[in-house]
Amino acid sequence: MCGFIGKVSYENIHHESLENCNKLIECRGPDSKNNLKGVGGNNENLYFDLIFNRLSILDLSDSASQPMTSKNFRTTLLFNGEVYNHKDLRKNLESKGINFITSHSDTEVLLNGLSYYGEQFLQKIRGQFAIVFLDLNKNNLLIARDRLGQKPLFYKHESKSFTFSSNLKSIVQNENYFDLDKNSLSSYLELGVVPSPNTIFKNINKVAPGEVINIQFDKSNIEVHKSQYWKIEDYVGYEEFNDAKFYSLFEEAVSIRSKADVPVANFLSGGLDSTSIIKSQIQNSQNVNTYSVGYLDSKFDESKWFNLVASKYKTNHMSEFVDIADIDKLVMESTKIFDEPYSDPSTLPSYLISKLISEKYKVAISGDGGDELLGGYLRTAKVLKNSKIPFATQIYNLYPSIFGSGNRILQKSSDDLVAYSSFFQDKKLINLLGFDSSNIEFSQLFSTKYSPYKNFQLIEYKLYLTEMMMLKVDRTSMANSLEVRSPFVDHKLVEYILSTQTSYYDYKNPKSLLKTYIKDDFSDDFLGRRKMGFVFDVEGYIYKNYKKLLNELPEVENLGINKINIGKLRTVKSRINANRLWKILFLENYLKSTKELIS
């Protein structure tokens, strides 16, 4: 797991500037840094400058370092991520007569695979990745991102150059560029994130999950061609569900992510997802390391449950306890690590546990993606079982913006799309702050061909998991130089679940597959309780510290947001309004820290 920044240009590249911007990325790969620059290809005026930061996890030798070039120095690879099936891919390439220099580097597998097969090789990869592949023979640059958006990749295309990076702020700093996109601001205020391919800035984009982009440098022109090598909709079907096949794919997903050349830890929350992963490892005779964070405030503490799991499976367990009342420093620290605005307050506990694990480990396995895979979110059950309210939309239109998002009304709409999207959208906040609604089209995530539950899955995967959850997991872990691997996000497992009938799902008993998997080891109290998740008391924190945190908002006010309307959110104290104020606070801090980079 690593990070990089690079530029290919028809003009000389200012290397010192690129080096300075790379400081934002060094946390992603603190073990070593390498640079490759020069003039190449069939065009003598084509310059390139590539900087790579390595977090050494697989094949720790120097020969596995990056940028990695082919023997003839005509192809070069930058790669952030892990290829879990690299051994099988290597055997295939060796059968084609391709020789390898390293003993077991997945980077060299990618370099040789893309050189031999071209972009079709992406279909063969099982893993998480952001890839940059420079082919000087063809004056071509290929960039691609994994299917479910686990690893980030940003770029800026100009008439004479193409800049790319693992970090959005590094491109902003390198280009000395600060031009906010108003529609993206609306997206952030409405959703709490800016979905791909847009960013908060005009003319800087992110590669979408499952997307491959070919950049052709032809004489003095740069041509960009985009395509999707993986579309989640292609796998939706209604084959008969087979429990044994699911468990087999799940255990395989866990097994391939448990292998590394450094010790591996596990996030242990005491929930069904992390517990099932640990049981799978124990059954495979693995020596399992677990790590948990508990809270001194019993309202949020789940140490009873994670201690029960650690004891049952006899793991090498470590835990830390945090006083929620004393987190001011952590709040500011956890917001500054983000290179793009993201407003979920659970970033704080996610950052905290990553920080603590990283003191002893470089790799951790998490249960992220389990709820999306198996319908574990309460919102899914609510929409399926809710009685419908006639004229829900009309009632919603009369609902005062100051009281909340109106989700409790819209979730009972007879229109499934309106009902489910209401859990993500906050158009009332947009109206209150005087912004136009964003152009987010939830209808593009829905299809009349599918059942309501299948459509809900597509929203979870195409919006919530890929654009929100994976962003949080990546930034909070990589800020602490920690690689996180998530078996439930394995694309083979996702494809299988989407292709089958939904007999495995019962909104009265969600995630029954995992409960069955571990039921012999735990009581009904453990299996049936409602999981709290990583949380902290954002409501108490915001209203206690309102004056200190939100009294001065110069960046937000420069956007045209009326401070009086922001103040109204304080008058009606609620969890929803606290989250809204957190969203505004995060945006203020983000804009300040980004402007400092170019000042």
Side-chain angles (χ1 to χ4, degrees):
M1 201 66 68
C2 311
F4 53 76
I5 184 170
K7 190 169 187 174
V8 183
S9 176
Y10 287 113
E11 300 173 336
N12 281 314
I13 300 169
H14 192 263
H15 178 72
E16 288 73 19
S17 175
L18 213 61
E19 280 279 8
N20 190 45
C21 300
N22 184 63
K23 292 176 182 177
L24 294 169
I25 311 171
E26 289 175 347
C27 62
R28 302 186 71 94
D31 291 337
S32 64
K33 182 179 73 172
N34 289 303
N35 172 233
L36 181 67
K37 58 182 178 177
V39 181
N42 299 319
N43 188 329
E44 294 182 355
N45 295 319
L46 188 62
Y47 300 86
F48 62 89
D49 196 341
L50 316 172
I51 303 176
F52 189 83
N53 309 276
R54 186 182 185 192
L55 181 65
S56 303
I57 289 171
L58 190 68
D59 193 335
L60 309 183
S61 67
D62 290 342
S63 59
S65 296
Q66 301 180 50
M68 184 178 284
T69 60
S70 58
K71 291 180 181 179
N72 59 8
F73 297 100
R74 303 304 286 176
T75 57
T76 301
L77 182 79
L78 298 173
F79 157 54
N80 167 27
E82 294 287 342
V83 177
Y84 303 121
N85 62 335
H86 65 95
K87 290 183 179 179
D88 291 336
L89 295 176
R90 179 173 176 140
K91 287 179 182 177
N92 172 266
L93 291 166
E94 287 175 332
S95 73
K96 306 293 183 183
I98 297 172
N99 296 317
F100 283 76
I101 298 172
T102 64
S103 64
H104 59 288
S105 166
D106 56 349
T107 302
E108 191 177 15
V109 168
L110 284 180
L111 175 65
N112 289 333
L114 288 168
S115 297
Y116 186 85
Y117 286 105
E119 70 177 70
Q120 288 74 26
F121 191 69
L122 297 171
Q123 301 282 357
K124 302 176 183 291
I125 303 170
R126 191 172 183 179
Q128 54 178 324
F129 53 85
I131 292 171
V132 172
F133 179 69
L134 178 61
D135 189 335
L136 294 175
N137 289 317
K138 301 176 181 177
N139 286 336
N140 182 264
L141 183 72
L142 177 151
I143 63 175
R145 194 169 170 213
D146 63 66
R147 298 167 180 85
L148 291 160
Q150 295 177 81
K151 295 292 103 185
L153 186 51
F154 302 91
Y155 65 93
K156 189 171 192 291
H157 171 212
E158 296 180 289
S159 61
K160 296 291 184 182
S161 66
F162 194 92
T163 307
F164 51 87
S165 179
S166 302
N167 185 289
L168 173 59
K169 283 183 177 180
S170 66
I171 295 181
V172 172
Q173 184 180 17
N174 184 66
E175 304 297 321
N176 199 37
Y177 179 89
F178 196 95
D179 192 1
L180 296 178
D181 184 286
K182 192 162 186 179
N183 187 64
S184 291
L185 281 167
S186 293
S187 295
Y188 170 75
L189 293 170
E190 184 175 330
L191 300 174
V193 73
V194 181
S196 304
N198 300 319
T199 71
I200 199 76
F201 300 101
K202 293 179 181 177
N203 302 320
I204 302 181
N205 295 94
K206 49 192 165 194
V207 181
E211 184 177 49
V212 57
I213 303 177
N214 276 285
I215 303 96
Q216 189 67 41
F217 297 88
D218 183 18
K219 295 182 180 179
S220 61
N221 299 318
I222 301 176
E223 296 181 4
V224 176
H225 303 280
K226 301 180 181 181
S227 61
Q228 290 289 134
Y229 70 88
W230 189 82
K231 294 180 181 178
I232 196 167
E233 302 95 322
D234 293 344
Y235 299 93
V236 178
Y238 294 92
E239 298 175 6
E240 184 177 353
F241 179 78
N242 183 287
D243 291 36
K245 184 169 184 179
F246 169 81
Y247 291 131
S248 175
L249 285 169
F250 165 65
E251 290 178 346
E252 182 184 40
V254 173
S255 177
I256 61 178
R257 284 166 176 78
S258 300
K259 296 177 172 62
D261 292 342
V262 295
V264 177
N266 284 63
F267 289 89
L268 174 55
S269 65
L272 296 173
D273 302 325
S274 61
T275 302
S276 298
I277 289 170
I278 291 163
K279 174 163 187 174
S280 177
Q281 292 174 315
I282 292 294
Q283 289 182 156
N284 201 27
S285 301
Q286 286 183 232
N287 185 27
V288 178
N289 306 305
T290 54
Y291 216 112
S292 304
V293 170
Y295 294 114
L296 296 178
D297 185 339
S298 60
K299 177 182 176 183
F300 298 98
D301 184 53
E302 295 194 283
S303 59
K304 170 186 176 181
W305 305 110
F306 63 63
N307 283 331
L308 185 64
V309 176
S311 175
K312 176 65 183 178
Y313 295 133
K314 297 180 172 59
T315 68
N316 301 318
H317 186 63
M318 298 186 68
S319 58
E320 298 272 351
F321 286 83
V322 179
D323 188 349
I324 294 181
D326 186 26
I327 58 170
D328 283 14
K329 182 181 177 182
L330 275 173
V331 168
M332 289 299 102
E333 195 175 312
S334 68
T335 59
K336 288 180 180 179
I337 66 171
F338 281 83
D339 59 330
E340 53 182 320
Y342 175 62
S343 71
D344 186 344
S346 69
T347 54
L348 189 148
S350 296
Y351 173 75
L352 173 60
I353 192 169
S354 292
K355 186 182 179 76
L356 294 171
I357 291 178
S358 69
E359 294 174 0
K360 298 183 183 297
Y361 297 95
K362 287 185 178 183
V363 182
I365 296 178
S366 82
D368 295 296
D371 288 308
E372 289 83 359
L373 189 74
L374 299 174
Y377 290 118
L378 187 59
R379 55 182 171 257
T380 305
K382 279 185 175 181
V383 175
L384 290 173
K385 73 180 182 180
N386 272 346
S387 56
K388 306 303 180 184
I389 298 178
F391 312 113
T393 302
Q394 290 87 333
I395 297 171
Y396 164 81
N397 290 336
L398 298 173
Y399 185 76
S401 298
I402 191 63
F403 288 162
S405 66
N407 159 257
R408 290 188 178 181
I409 300 168
L410 289 182
Q411 68 178 254
K412 296 184 178 182
S413 169
S414 57
D415 185 324
D416 286 330
L417 174 59
V418 171
Y420 210 75
S421 61
S422 72
F423 285 90
F424 304 96
Q425 292 177 292
D426 191 351
K427 290 184 179 293
K428 292 290 183 180
L429 178 62
I430 292 285
N431 294 334
L432 182 69
L433 299 181
F435 269 65
D436 295 329
S437 181
S438 69
N439 296 326
I440 302 298
E441 290 290 345
F442 275 80
S443 59
Q444 295 177 2
L445 310 180
F446 247 58
S447 173
T448 55
K449 296 188 298 183
Y450 310 135
S451 67
Y453 180 77
K454 291 285 187 185
N455 273 317
F456 299 161
Q457 280 185 302
L458 288 178
I459 287 181
E460 295 293 349
Y461 277 111
K462 296 180 75 174
L463 176 65
Y464 189 68
L465 181 90
T466 55
E467 303 293 353
M468 300 181 185
M469 288 299 291
M470 293 296 93
L471 187 157
K472 177 183 74 172
V473 172
D474 176 79
R475 303 312 192 273
T476 55
S477 61
M478 292 309 295
N480 294 290
S481 307
L482 178 73
E483 173 184 314
V484 172
R485 301 173 173 182
S486 306
F488 290 109
V489 186
D490 187 278
H491 80 274
K492 296 281 188 184
L493 192 57
V494 173
E495 289 171 0
Y496 178 69
I497 281 290
L498 286 169
S499 69
T500 65
Q501 298 174 12
T502 57
S503 56
Y504 62 86
Y505 178 74
D506 179 0
Y507 68 77
K508 296 178 182 178
N509 185 29
K511 299 169 84 168
S512 59
L513 283 169
L514 299 186
K515 292 175 183 177
T516 299
Y517 190 69
I518 61 174
K519 68 181 178 63
D520 292 338
D521 299 332
F522 299 98
S523 67
D524 289 342
D525 286 346
F526 180 92
L527 298 173
R529 83 189 198 282
R530 182 178 173 184
K531 185 73 179 70
M532 185 178 296
F534 284 145
V535 295
F536 88 103
D537 185 10
V538 66
E539 186 176 352
Y541 177 77
I542 285 290
Y543 290 121
K544 177 184 176 182
N545 299 284
Y546 180 89
K547 287 185 178 179
K548 178 177 69 175
L549 296 172
L550 293 144
N551 191 43
E552 294 185 10
L553 298 167
E555 299 300 333
V556 166
E557 289 185 68
N558 284 340
L559 300 175
I561 297 177
N562 191 316
K563 191 173 179 180
I564 294 175
N565 288 339
I566 295 174
K568 290 178 182 178
L569 298 174
R570 186 188 179 191
T571 61
V572 180
K573 293 185 178 181
S574 66
R575 180 184 60 83
I576 294 296
N577 280 343
N579 277 295
R580 288 165 149 185
L581 289 168
W582 175 275
K583 184 184 290 185
I584 292 167
L585 174 65
F586 197 110
L587 181 61
E588 176 71 19
N589 290 340
Y590 175 81
L591 295 176
K592 282 180 180 176
S593 64
T594 309
K595 279 191 173 181
E596 288 173 0
L597 294 172
I598 60 173
S599 61

